[in-house]
Amino acid sequence: MRKLLLWMARNAWLRDRLPKLWFAKRAVRRFMPGEDPENALDAAGKFRADGITSMFTRLGENITKLEAGDETAQHYLGLMDDIKARDLDGEVSVKLTQLGYDIDVERTLVHASKLAERAAQDDRTLWVDMEGSAYTEGTIAFYERLKAAHPNTGLCLQAYLRRTAADVQRLLPLDPRIRLVKGAYAEPAAIAYQTKHDVDANFVALSVSMLEGMRAGRKVRLGLGTHDVRLIEQIAEHATAMGLPKTSVEVEMLYGIRMDQQRRLAHEGYLVRDLIAYGHAWYPWYMRRLAERPANVMFALRQMIG
Ligand SMILES: Cc1cc2nc3c(=O)[nH]c(=O)nc-3n(C[C@H](O)[C@H](O)[C@H](O)COP(=O)(O)OP(=O)(O)OC[C@H]3O[C@@H](n4cnc5c(N)ncnc54)[C@H](O)[C@@H]3O)c2cc1C
């Protein structure tokens, strides 16, 4: 089922047709408050009352025209103004292929630099998502350049990739800001752990290596981008045992998933940030959410019929 859903996520024919169907639009509301940025900003305003901060992303990837990347960068600059105007603790996370990375890497760097500069004015971090393995090395090399000029930038790393332990060691000297996730794409066994047990074990090991970096004096900001509460609590226990506060890690979850846990963790003193997606180009992203938990397919079908 997971493989089928991830294949559907990549299928251009389905991508062009499925999102136009009204019942698909209805089902996607489980994971996003709406397609407009205002929907996302309003949702963030509501989370503030629960002590939950936000991260915003406009869905879209692998754009094929340079102008679309320019427009995306402009859009995010405007969004940062809106975040500031609403006095939200909100950060932005972008995909490099949404800024034009497939077409022009240098122009993508110019866009990312502008976004980082704007984020720095409000003392915020600009985050870079991690995409499929064809982009891993390029994205890390890109981040190294971006981070050298803009300390307020962060990168997503994926625990399912075997290479990530080495990538953490490579990035630690830069005082990185890292969002660690399990990984959302279909990757072969040669480069990625395949079982939940192995991915989870690597997730903990990578987190501990970054906590050790913190204890050794590196200025690491570590976001745990997972809904796996057991793992989060396990890593928080490691932090405490190492003499670090619970707040040395930040919990990052997706809008609409485990909201009860997001509120509980925030109530218990964890730093919790909710990633709110919006925009029209939600199809591949939504299919990856279904693939993460095939039980959601039944939920989606019920939404469509009911
Ligand atoms: C803030 C954030 C940013 C992310 N950014 C990226 C990125 O840049 N690149 C990337 O490859 N991946 C990214 N991901 C996705 C990530 O790689 C995983 O695919 C996703 O988080 C599901 O794995 P999990 O860690 O929640 O653990 P799992 O082991 O999949 O799930 C743990 C538990 O969480 C619950 N759960 C998990 N997913 C769902 C769901 N879809 N619906 C309902 N319940 C669910 C279930 O109860 C499950 O038992 C991001 C995730 C988050 C939270």
Side-chain angles (χ1 to χ4, degrees), residues 145-186:
R145 292 175 70 193
L146 185 66
K147 183 79 170 73
H150 303 282
N152 66 316
T153 49
L155 176 69
C156 177
L157 291 179
Q158 298 155 326
Y160 64 12
L161 291 186
R162 297 178 192 275
R163 59 173 286 163
T164 302
D167 292 333
V168 166
Q169 294 311 317
R170 168 176 166 184
L171 294 174
L172 270 178
L174 307 182
D175 290 336
R177 302 182 184 189
I178 300 292
R179 176 208 309 150
L180 186 63
V181 301
K182 292 190 188 179
Y185 299 82

Side-chain angles (χ1 to χ4, degrees), residues 232-246:
I232 291 166
E233 291 176 340
Q234 210 178 320
I235 292 159
E237 277 168 27
H238 275 288
T240 311
M242 291 164 84
L244 296 165
K246 205 170 17 181

Side-chain angles (χ1 to χ4, degrees), residues 2 30-31 55 93 95 128-132 156-158 160 179-185 196 200 203 224-229 231 251-254 256-258 273-275 288-293 296:
R2 179 170 185 267
R30 156 105 162 77
F31 295 117
M55 193 184 297
S93 197
K95 284 191 174 23
V128 176
D129 285 0
M130 187 57 83
E131 302 181 60
C156 177
L157 291 179
Q158 298 155 326
Y160 64 12
R179 176 208 309 150
L180 186 63
V181 301
K182 292 190 188 179
Y185 299 82
K196 176 169 165 59
D200 288 1
F203 195 102
L224 305 177
T226 179
H227 311 96
D228 201 328
V229 174
L231 276 192
V251 176
E252 297 174 354
M253 294 196 189
L254 301 178
I257 301 183
R258 303 206 110 175
R273 196 172 284 279
D274 186 283
L275 174 53
R288 289 198 293 272
R289 300 291 80 77
L290 292 185
E292 278 154 15
R293 192 161 175 259
N296 284 336

Side-chain angles (χ1 to χ4, degrees), residues 3-241:
K3 283 207 172 112
L4 173 68
L5 290 164
L6 289 174
W7 171 83
M8 287 173 75
R10 294 190 304 270
N11 187 285
W13 190 87
L14 288 172
R15 188 190 56 221
D16 291 342
R17 285 163 184 81
L18 262 183
K20 298 202 176 86
L21 305 173
W22 64 269
F23 52 80
K25 277 183 195 286
R26 200 161 106 183
V28 78
R29 290 301 285 267
R30 156 105 162 77
F31 295 117
M32 52 189 270
E35 293 189 356
D36 299 330
E38 286 70 30
N39 302 131
L41 291 161
D42 289 349
K46 289 184 191 136
F47 287 141
R48 194 167 38 187
D50 292 309
I52 297 174
T53 57
S54 314
M55 193 184 297
F56 298 93
T57 198
R58 185 172 76 164
L59 299 172
E61 50 202 81
N62 298 111
I63 56 139
T64 51
K65 292 201 178 84
L66 268 181
E67 301 73 46
D70 301 347
E71 188 277 329
T72 301
Q74 272 311 115
H75 167 82
Y76 278 128
L77 290 173
L79 185 81
M80 289 189 206
D81 290 343
D82 293 340
I83 293 170
K84 167 96 174 144
R86 294 191 186 212
D87 196 24
L88 293 169
D89 180 344
E91 300 188 322
V92 163
S93 197
V94 293
K95 284 191 174 23
L96 293 186
T97 67
Q98 177 185 35
L99 290 176
Y101 182 89
D102 288 328
I103 316 165
D104 187 338
V105 175
E106 295 309 312
R107 190 146 156 177
T108 305
L109 187 60
V110 170
H111 289 325
S113 301
K114 274 200 193 126
L115 295 179
E117 272 165 30
R118 176 66 192 83
Q121 286 169 19
D122 299 333
D123 199 19
R124 303 276 182 242
T125 298
L126 173 74
W127 291 95
V128 176
D129 285 0
M130 187 57 83
E131 302 181 60
S133 58
Y135 294 100
T136 313
E137 178 54 35
T139 304
I140 292 173
F142 185 99
Y143 177 65
E144 288 173 324
R145 292 175 70 193
L146 185 66
K147 183 79 170 73
H150 303 282
N152 66 316
T153 49
L155 176 69
C156 177
L157 291 179
Q158 298 155 326
Y160 64 12
L161 291 186
R162 297 178 192 275
R163 59 173 286 163
T164 302
D167 292 333
V168 166
Q169 294 311 317
R170 168 176 166 184
L171 294 174
L172 270 178
L174 307 182
D175 290 336
R177 302 182 184 189
I178 300 292
R179 176 208 309 150
L180 186 63
V181 301
K182 292 190 188 179
Y185 299 82
E187 304 292 1
I191 61 164
Y193 299 107
Q194 302 291 310
T195 65
K196 176 169 165 59
H197 176 271
D198 288 351
V199 176
D200 288 1
N202 200 35
F203 195 102
V204 175
L206 293 166
S207 300
V208 169
S209 68
M210 285 185 267
L211 291 172
E212 277 164 357
M214 274 181 218
R215 203 174 47 173
R218 300 258 58 118
K219 289 199 206 84
V220 184
R221 177 171 162 192
L222 174 57
L224 305 177
T226 179
H227 311 96
D228 201 328
V229 174
R230 195 184 49 86
L231 276 192
I232 291 166
E233 291 176 340
Q234 210 178 320
I235 292 159
E237 277 168 27
H238 275 288
T240 311

